[in-house]
Amino acid sequence: PAAAMSPQVEPPCCPGDGGSFKAVLFDFDLTLTVREEIPRHRLFPGFDRQCPDIEWLREKGFGGEARIASLGAMLQAFAESGSELYVVSFADREVIVRALALLGASHFFCHRIFGWEELGGPMATKGNFIRSLMETKSWKREEVLFVDDQATNIADAAGLCVTHRTWGRGLRSEEMTELLQKAEVLRLRRQATSSGTAAGRHFQEEQGFLSERCPV
């Protein structure tokens, strides 16, 4: 069978302080995955199947081994930097938890997985959930990154946090690299701000902090 995503050293469920983004919030379908929906029967076998279809999940659900490796590297990097990782999705939480567990990635998110019921039901908005979460955690706009494929969800979060709309059907490897670069720019910006030097102020001006990129 294919190897799981799990890294050699798993990050803790409650990362410490010191990360670039304090939190990164990911949508599930067409963001972490490359499909609009992960069918339940692929994850929860019925009377005609004895095991979940892990091969289908990895190849068709998450885009194959190369993409899974990139996804794992990105999540690992965020976790090691101290960022809390969340899933904020209108999919069923049970499906998300099961899919991530089969992939070997559930330890990145632990209890921080929110499906449509946890968001407040079918009429809820992600913007309201993000606002409530940020108020509870006392996070500032530049400390939270929200990644989603839907323009309406991105619009809901506009002004609340830093946002990134996926370029296509699921995050691409080059997007994952760009998100990590955004996090590094933020870390350097904070470092420059804390120094209080003219050079630090000049650095901030030159960076054009966290400019958004439109999807293609």
Side-chain angles (χ1 to χ4, degrees):
M5 179 190 287
S6 306
Q8 292 182 353
V9 178
E10 295 186 357
C13 282
C14 298
D17 294 332
S20 45
F21 289 110
K22 290 190 175 180
V24 184
L25 284 54
F26 294 96
D27 178 38
F28 185 65
D29 295 319
L30 289 178
T31 299
L32 292 179
T33 80
V34 297
R35 300 185 68 86
E36 294 182 358
E37 182 181 7
I38 300 294
R40 292 182 64 88
H41 72 270
R42 298 286 186 179
L43 308 177
F44 301 97
F47 66 91
D48 59 338
R49 291 185 60 87
Q50 299 299 314
C51 299
D53 196 343
I54 296 177
E55 181 179 355
W56 182 94
L57 180 67
R58 296 180 73 89
E59 291 300 320
K60 303 299 184 182
F62 285 93
E65 297 306 314
R67 183 178 182 275
I68 289 172
S70 296
L71 186 63
M74 177 191 68
L75 297 176
Q76 177 79 7
F78 275 129
E80 288 181 347
S81 77
S83 300
E84 294 184 8
L85 304 183
Y86 289 74
V87 174
V88 180
S89 172
F90 287 122
D92 288 337
R93 185 180 189 277
E94 186 179 32
V95 169
I96 301 170
V97 170
R98 178 66 165 165
L100 291 175
L102 292 172
L103 189 68
S106 59
H107 60 280
F108 289 115
F109 302 97
C110 301
H111 61 281
R112 298 181 297 272
I113 298 175
F114 298 85
W116 68 273
E117 290 184 289
E118 292 72 31
L119 294 185
M123 302 303 293
T125 67
K126 292 188 179 183
N128 285 339
F129 174 83
I130 293 170
R131 180 183 294 106
S132 177
L133 177 65
M134 292 181 65
E135 289 175 353
T136 299
K137 296 283 192 175
S138 298
W139 287 331
K140 299 177 182 178
R141 177 192 179 276
E142 67 273 10
E143 294 175 336
V144 178
L145 171 64
F146 172 53
V147 185
D148 200 288
D149 68 294
Q150 294 292 321
T152 53
N153 295 331
I154 293 296
D156 282 341
L160 298 175
C161 60
V162 179
T163 61
H164 176 88
R165 185 181 176 192
T166 59
W167 304 346
R169 297 180 65 85
L171 280 169
R172 303 175 186 175
S173 295
E174 56 265 38
E175 280 182 277
M176 300 176 199
T177 299
E178 181 173 294
L179 293 180
L180 292 175
Q181 290 172 344
K182 285 185 176 185
E184 178 64 8
V185 167
L186 177 59
R187 186 188 68 80
L188 293 174
R189 178 178 183 265
R190 285 179 177 168
Q191 187 179 64
T193 300
S194 64
S195 71
T197 62
R201 290 191 295 272
H202 176 72
F203 172 82
Q204 294 174 56
E205 294 169 358
E206 291 295 319
Q207 285 299 312
F209 175 56
L210 293 181
S211 59
E212 302 293 342
R213 175 166 180 173
C214 296
V216 294

